[in-house]
Amino acid sequence: MKREIPILLTILCGWMVITAFFTTGGVPAAWNDELLAWGVIFFSVAFLLGIGNLVRINLKQISARHPDWPYKAILLFVLFAYLGIGVAEIHGWFGWVAADGNTETLRRDWIYNRVFAPLQATMFSLLAFYIASAAFRAFRARSTEATLLLIAGALVMMGQVPMPIPVPAAVETWIATTQAFLMSVVNTAGQKAVIIGATLGVLATGLRIVLGIERSYLSE
Amino acid sequence: MATVTDIDRRWVFLIMGLVVLITYIGGVAKDLPVSEYVDAYYKTIEDLPAGSVVMLSADFDPASAAELLPMYQATIHHLLRRDIRIVNVATWPAAPPYTRRWFDQIAPQYGKVYGTDWLELGFLPGDDVAMGQIGGSITSAFAEDARENKPITDFPLTAELSSNMGGIVLLVSLSAGYPGILEWIAQVGGRYDVPILTGTTAVQTPDLYAYYPSQCSGFLGAATGATQYLQLVTVGETEVPDDPDNLATVRASNQRRMFVQSWAHGILILLIIVGNVLYFRGRSQTA
């Protein structure tokens, strides 16, 4: 029964969702809505599990005086401080509410816009430097395929943006046309082949699951 | 003779940093030619009748703001100035503060009323599952709005919405990855026959060519697409240097950033060429 019930539930839920996808209204749609609502609830619970796991792992490393323990302490402090501020504002504790309905005056939004957003944007912008260094060191014309990739990459990069220095109009037009051809013909054909192949794979795996053949999700 | 591995990578960082800094200071705003994908995005919105309801999904966070935020601002302006109503959702947890901030700023400029002209439903966890639920029934997916915490059925805007995306004439996803545009296409676009527009980061843009124009009616690819769209939305408007949130100022700022990006791409190509020259020289000397 330990195996049969989960398999039966999987088959049942799988078929219900598939049926609902090809029909509108009726019992399959109602069941599908119910299952999707359960799915959203499971995701929300997963957030709590994630927080629990984060706290457990970091507390363990703080108590073991791991070399990075101060950062882990900061992580936990920020996690609970932000959570606390958010909960306090939602419930209006300490008189913490948005003044005149202006959400900009909320403490949690201030932290988000003035601290979190710039930090995240900074981290992402550093990619430009790492990509430059990686391209300089690793992008080599070692083989015919690598050379083709390199030339195509360079043309797409140039065609994507205006020319930094004045070049003859014919050259600029040729680069733009080649870039458009590479993206809309070569790239599209490749993407479609990959998408169709991957979708057939997903379809086959999905069918194996709803037919009860694939049981790897039960660690079998 | 120096090889690539002999060169400290901090030199590469310094060169790139200097190029970005100099071109940022001396950047010039120049009009870009508009691509057919951007034009299709713009025209799809232009063709919507006034009073239509559009779902705008913020599927990004501040890491992608440089590319996606200008698109987001311009799309809100474009929709609201055409009297199109917006149901705003998010599938990324860090997106709603952006949503709130820009709607707070832009909606009053057009005299739009919350609950009648636009509605903020906030973040729904669950990735593809959440999108499927939103597509099936917005009222089941969101019990309350994210702004006033009232039942969403209390708002005049939701009275016109029904299950299976009924009442929604267009879905716009500004997408930085997963979950994003590809999941919206799979879960909602084809299933409920809703046209979809998107704006994406440079990394995700190549994926979209395969979906255009059948499953995705138009798209804005990265900062270039954002700049071209801003040009279309702000035709005849002049920059207001004292107001960084003015749409024409955002356009000019984006155009100057494209100048920076042009030079950064140029330097990147130059570095690749230098790297290859050093590599082949080193190899011929070893042989």
Side-chain angles (χ1 to χ4, degrees):
Chain A
M1 289 303 272
K2 209 173 151 188
R3 280 175 62 248
E4 282 78 8
I5 290 177
I7 291 172
L8 197 69
L9 280 173
T10 307
I11 293 172
L12 210 67
C13 294
W15 280 112
M16 268 190 235
V17 173
I18 289 173
T19 313
F21 209 94
F22 294 101
T23 54
T24 46
V27 178
W31 274 99
N32 182 52
D33 284 351
E34 196 62 32
L35 284 173
L36 290 176
W38 289 7
V40 170
I41 293 167
F42 288 143
F43 267 91
S44 309
V45 173
F47 272 106
L48 289 177
L49 280 176
I51 292 174
N53 205 29
L54 193 80
V55 171
R56 191 177 62 86
I57 289 169
N58 283 287
L59 276 182
K60 204 189 273 182
Q61 294 189 334
I62 292 168
S63 60
R65 286 290 185 271
H66 185 275
D68 289 340
W69 77 267
Y71 301 111
K72 294 172 192 306
I74 293 169
L75 171 83
L76 292 183
F77 171 75
V78 172
L79 171 73
F80 286 105
Y82 194 71
L83 188 69
I85 290 169
V87 171
E89 281 183 335
I90 287 169
H91 293 283
W93 296 341
F94 319 116
W96 287 0
V97 286
D100 305 325
N102 179 6
T103 51
E104 270 286 276
T105 58
L106 288 172
R107 285 158 185 81
R108 64 174 188 273
D109 276 13
W110 190 91
I111 295 170
Y112 178 95
N113 288 316
R114 305 291 194 280
V115 182
F116 175 71
L119 281 176
Q120 215 186 28
T122 305
M123 289 299 291
F124 200 66
S125 64
L126 288 177
L127 269 182
F129 298 95
Y130 289 113
I131 286 173
S133 171
F136 177 61
R137 285 160 177 273
F139 220 177
R140 295 282 167 271
R142 282 197 178 94
S143 61
T144 315
E145 291 86 348
T147 311
L148 281 173
L149 184 69
L150 202 151
I151 294 168
L155 282 169
V156 169
M157 261 200 291
M158 283 195 287
Q160 189 68 21
V161 292
M163 287 288 143
I165 48 170
V167 292
V171 174
E172 196 162 3
T173 310
W174 181 80
I175 289 172
T177 315
T178 313
Q179 189 259 357
F181 171 77
L182 286 172
M183 292 308 286
S184 61
V185 179
V186 182
N187 164 64
T188 305
Q191 288 282 354
K192 282 191 177 175
V194 171
I195 292 166
I196 292 168
T199 309
L200 287 174
V202 170
L203 198 67
T205 311
L207 270 177
R208 283 174 61 84
I209 290 172
V210 293
L211 292 173
I213 302 166
E214 175 70 52
R215 297 172 186 185
S216 56
Y217 61 91
L218 290 173
S219 307
E220 283 189 8
Chain B
M1 184 69 200
T3 63
V4 174
T5 44
D6 292 336
I7 296 169
D8 192 328
R9 65 179 183 166
R10 283 175 295 186
W11 285 110
V12 176
F13 294 164
L14 183 69
I15 293 168
M16 187 54 93
L18 282 174
V19 167
V20 169
L21 188 70
I22 293 165
T23 51
Y24 184 76
I25 293 167
V28 287
K30 210 174 102 180
D31 273 355
L32 305 182
V34 176
S35 74
E36 75 168 274
Y37 314 104
V38 175
D39 197 45
Y41 184 103
Y42 177 79
K43 281 185 179 149
T44 304
I45 294 178
E46 281 290 299
D47 291 343
L48 294 176
S52 310
V53 182
V54 167
M55 182 178 283
L56 178 61
S57 180
D59 308 320
F60 65 99
D61 61 15
S64 315
E67 289 173 294
L68 300 185
L69 193 56
M71 299 177 189
Y72 193 73
Q73 292 169 280
T75 304
I76 298 172
H77 273 284
H78 194 185
L79 292 170
L80 293 183
R81 75 168 54 151
R82 292 194 43 76
D83 292 327
I84 291 159
R85 292 170 296 164
I86 305 173
V87 174
N88 190 37
V89 298
T91 60
W92 284 42
Y98 266 147
T99 307
R100 208 168 293 140
R101 187 176 169 192
W102 298 109
F103 271 95
D104 274 346
Q105 201 173 84
I106 300 167
Q109 293 176 25
Y110 300 99
K112 299 299 177 188
V113 179
Y114 182 72
T116 305
D117 299 306
W118 63 283
L119 191 62
E120 185 187 337
L121 299 182
F123 165 66
L124 188 69
D127 304 343
D128 324 42
V129 176
M131 292 172 178
Q133 206 195 3
I134 293 169
S137 170
I138 293 173
T139 45
S140 304
F142 297 95
E144 294 179 339
D145 78 312
R147 198 178 174 82
E148 296 178 354
N149 301 319
K150 285 183 185 167
I152 68 164
T153 43
D154 286 0
F155 295 99
L157 183 50
T158 47
E160 293 172 43
L161 306 180
S162 56
S163 57
N164 303 332
M165 296 295 278
I168 304 280
V169 298
L170 178 73
L171 170 67
V172 184
S173 159
L174 295 178
S175 160
Y178 177 84
I181 178 59
L182 301 184
E183 289 68 41
W184 277 119
I185 289 173
Q187 296 294 335
V188 172
R191 190 174 179 186
Y192 301 114
D193 201 20
V194 178
I196 294 185
L197 295 177
T198 186
T200 59
T201 50
V203 177
Q204 217 187 5
T205 304
D207 296 347
L208 294 169
Y209 288 83
Y211 295 94
Y212 174 83
S214 313
Q215 291 100 335
C216 177
S217 309
F219 62 87
L220 312 177
T224 314
T227 310
Q228 293 169 4
Y229 178 54
L230 280 159
Q231 287 173 192
L232 293 173
V233 177
T234 59
V235 168
E237 294 178 28
T238 43
E239 186 184 355
V240 184
D242 295 338
D243 181 6
D245 295 325
N246 173 278
L247 204 56
T249 313
V250 175
R251 178 205 63 212
S253 156
N254 253 52
Q255 286 174 328
R256 279 191 283 272
R257 277 160 48 187
M258 289 313 299
F259 182 74
V260 177
Q261 206 176 49
S262 297
W263 274 94
H265 281 200
I267 291 299
L268 202 55
I269 290 166
L270 201 67
L271 285 170
I272 292 170
I273 293 168
V274 171
N276 274 280
V277 169
L278 291 176
Y279 168 74
F280 283 109
R281 271 197 181 177
R283 213 166 68 158
S284 65
Q285 279 173 358
T286 314

